[in-house]
């Protein structure tokens, strides 16, 4: 375990150095949250109503936080796919380092990136008029749930990155974006048609969004379905289930590369 964690920290530092030396990636990380807050909070939000009342930007920001964490799977998938195609992963496999440490290091690096991205988005939200209203403890708990979701989806990104070519990975945002939209991120499921609202309520992203709204004290009327009434349970359960499924799949896929 000590050997694995030591190698994972080295791999994580290597990935973070490549990220810091890529100005385009840093610029994208900085500008994306700002553009999204302006677009949805001011442009589209001017015509939106919140079920149960309340300010739309306060309703929106927990959804933005969660969607950003979910869309991070694209970053993980693209980087892993490129490293595999360019032979970087094969070089790691030829070295006397822990194989689990390689994928764990990728996960550590992506979590660090996600923390920075989330901090930028929180700052944008504060500037836009969003705030939390239930104390720092609840706010930190909400941030923890957001990072738990991101950690779980990192393993989805690693698995898909190892399985897909760079071209296929770059096109994967097409099905991913609707999945993040078909939730309670931008509109309450109560305002959607019945069957569509039911799908949105059971979307794993919706559980995190609903729980974060509750912990931040932001507006957003909960539904009366089991999923809505047990959002906290699902906000913890969904990421744990995703991790339990995709972490071993990612490790197995890595071991079988080139086999």
């Amino acid at each position: 375990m000590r050997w694995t964690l030591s190698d994972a920290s080295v791999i994580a530092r290597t990935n973070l150095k490549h990220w810091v030396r890529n100005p385009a990636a840093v610029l994208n990380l900085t500008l994306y949250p700002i553009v999204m807050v302006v677009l949805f909070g001011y442009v589209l939000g001017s015509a939106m109503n919140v079920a149960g009342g309340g300010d739309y930007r306060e309703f929106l920001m927990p959804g933005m936080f969660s969607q950003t964490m979910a869309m991070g799977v694209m970053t993980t998938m693209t980087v892993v796919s490129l490293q595999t195609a360019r032979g970087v992963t094969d070089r790691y496999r030829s070295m006397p380092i822990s194989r689990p440490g390689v994928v764990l290091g990728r996960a550590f690096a992506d979590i660090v990136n996600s923390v920075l991205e989330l901090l930028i988005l929180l700052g944008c939200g504060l500037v836009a008029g969003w705030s939390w209203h239930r104390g720092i403890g609840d706010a930190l708990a909400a941030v923890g749930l957001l990072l738990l979701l991101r950690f779980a989806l990192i393993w989805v990104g690693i698995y898909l990155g190892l399985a897909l070519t760079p071209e296929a990975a770059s096109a994967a945002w097409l099905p991913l974006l609707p999945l993040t939209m078909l939730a309670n991120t931008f509109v309450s499921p109560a305002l959607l048609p019945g069957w569509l609202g039911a799908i949105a309520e059971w979307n794993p992203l919706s559980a995190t969004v609903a729980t974060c709204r509750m912990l931040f004290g932001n507006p957003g009327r909960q539904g009366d379905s089991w999923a809505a009434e047990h959002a906290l349970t699902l906000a913890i359960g969904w990421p744990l289930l995703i991790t339990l499924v995709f972490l071993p799949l990612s490790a197995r896929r890595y071991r079988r590369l080139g086999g």
Side-chain angles (χ1 to χ4, degrees):
M1 179 61 70
R2 183 182 302 175
W3 179 32
T4 298
L5 291 177
S6 176
D7 288 345
S9 66
V10 173
I11 297 297
R13 288 197 299 270
T14 300
N15 286 318
L16 288 172
K17 286 179 181 177
H18 282 294
W19 177 76
V20 170
R21 292 169 182 171
N22 184 355
V26 177
L27 185 62
N28 180 65
L29 181 69
T30 305
L31 291 181
Y32 174 78
I34 299 173
V35 171
M36 295 300 286
V37 170
V38 171
L39 177 62
F40 287 98
Y42 290 93
V43 179
L44 300 180
S46 60
M48 300 293 289
N49 295 317
V50 179
D55 181 74
Y56 180 72
R57 281 194 290 274
E58 291 237 319
F59 171 86
L60 169 71
M61 291 312 300
M64 290 294 305
F65 301 151
S66 300
Q67 190 196 43
T68 301
M69 294 297 98
M71 291 297 291
V73 71
M74 279 298 304
T75 301
T76 303
M77 180 170 48
T78 301
V79 171
V80 172
S81 180
L82 285 172
Q83 288 185 342
T84 303
R86 294 172 179 174
V88 176
T89 304
D90 287 337
R91 281 198 290 273
Y92 285 148
R93 284 165 51 82
S94 69
M95 296 177 182
I97 58 177
S98 168
R99 292 192 174 185
V102 175
V103 290
L104 194 59
R106 177 73 254 170
F108 288 167
D110 282 358
I111 277 293
V112 173
N113 289 343
S114 298
V115 169
L116 179 57
E117 191 169 15
L118 186 55
L119 288 174
I120 294 172
L121 196 53
L122 286 166
C124 291
L126 291 172
V127 172
W130 166 85
S131 185
W132 66 86
H133 308 282
R134 295 191 56 180
I136 190 65
D138 284 348
L140 290 176
V143 170
L145 287 176
L146 290 167
L147 293 176
L148 177 63
L149 176 67
R150 176 68 180 110
F151 181 77
L153 293 177
I154 282 173
W155 298 107
V156 178
I158 290 175
Y159 175 75
L160 293 176
L162 292 172
L164 299 176
T165 64
E167 293 77 17
S170 64
W173 67 271
L174 289 172
L176 179 62
L177 185 60
L179 287 176
T180 64
M181 302 284 286
L182 188 56
N184 60 357
T185 46
F186 301 106
V187 64
S188 172
L191 301 177
L192 298 175
W195 65 274
L196 200 59
I199 294 175
E201 285 186 334
W202 281 97
N203 187 327
L205 193 62
S206 292
T208 299
V209 175
T211 305
C212 286
R213 286 189 180 122
M214 178 188 68
L215 291 171
F216 285 134
N218 296 146
R221 191 180 74 192
Q222 296 288 91
D224 54 6
S225 67
W226 191 95
E229 293 176 351
H230 297 82
L232 176 58
T233 300
L234 292 176
I236 298 173
W238 276 123
L240 291 180
L241 178 61
I242 292 170
T243 302
L244 286 174
V245 171
F246 281 94
L247 192 157
L249 284 177
S250 299
R252 182 182 180 188
R253 182 74 187 184
Y254 180 79
R255 287 195 303 267
R256 293 189 171 186
L257 283 178

